[in-house]
Each structure stands twice: as C-alpha cells, then as structure tokens.
Amino acid sequence: MAIIISYPSAGTVTTSDLLLGTQFDAESGANITKNFSVGSIVNLAVETATAGGYTGVFNTNAVLAITVNDGIITDVQPIG
C-alpha cells in the first residue's frame, strides 16, 4: 500500500464514494479492514444526532431541517 499522501485528492465527493476503515469484530476481537460509503457515514451521523447520542460538531454542505426542543437537537432531516 502506498503512503496515504501520495494518492491524488478526490475533488468532489459523492455519497456513493467509498472510504477505507476498520470495523471491530467482537467474535474474533480483531479490527477488520473494510470500505464504507460516504452516505453510510452521513446516515450514521444523522441517526446518532437524532437519537440524542451525539455531542460535538460535524460539518456538512447539505441543507438540513433541524428541530430543537429545550436546547436539544431532537431531529435532523436532509432537505431536497
């Protein structure tokens, strides 16, 4: 595998593009290398944010409808 900075930049990223990462396998105790779509990571971020389990910041260029109740984000929905 080449040094990561030797790869060209992607430019425009789409939700169907794939990223390389690891996923923990509880059965074997190993971190297994897999690919993840950008869309699946965005969905995970939205699901986690709407479930109340996310604290912090994530950046997105998407237009979102955000519902806030008593200072807590209770729903995030992409628009369009």
Side-chain angles (χ1 to χ4, degrees):
M1 180 179 276
I3 297 171
I4 196 74
I5 61 172
S6 68
Y7 290 98
S9 295
T12 302
V13 178
T14 67
T15 56
S16 62
D17 288 339
L18 299 175
L19 302 172
L20 190 62
T22 59
Q23 186 173 45
F24 180 71
D25 181 359
E27 244 181 69
S28 67
N31 287 317
I32 300 170
T33 302
K34 295 189 174 187
N35 61 49
F36 304 90
S37 72
V38 171
S40 69
I41 294 170
V42 169
N43 289 338
L44 175 63
V46 170
E47 289 168 12
T48 303
T50 59
Y54 180 82
T55 58
V57 176
F58 65 91
N59 296 319
T60 178
N61 289 330
V63 177
L64 302 173
I66 301 172
T67 304
V68 178
N69 291 312
D70 296 322
I72 299 171
I73 297 173
T74 57
D75 190 40
V76 178
Q77 294 293 322
I79 298 174

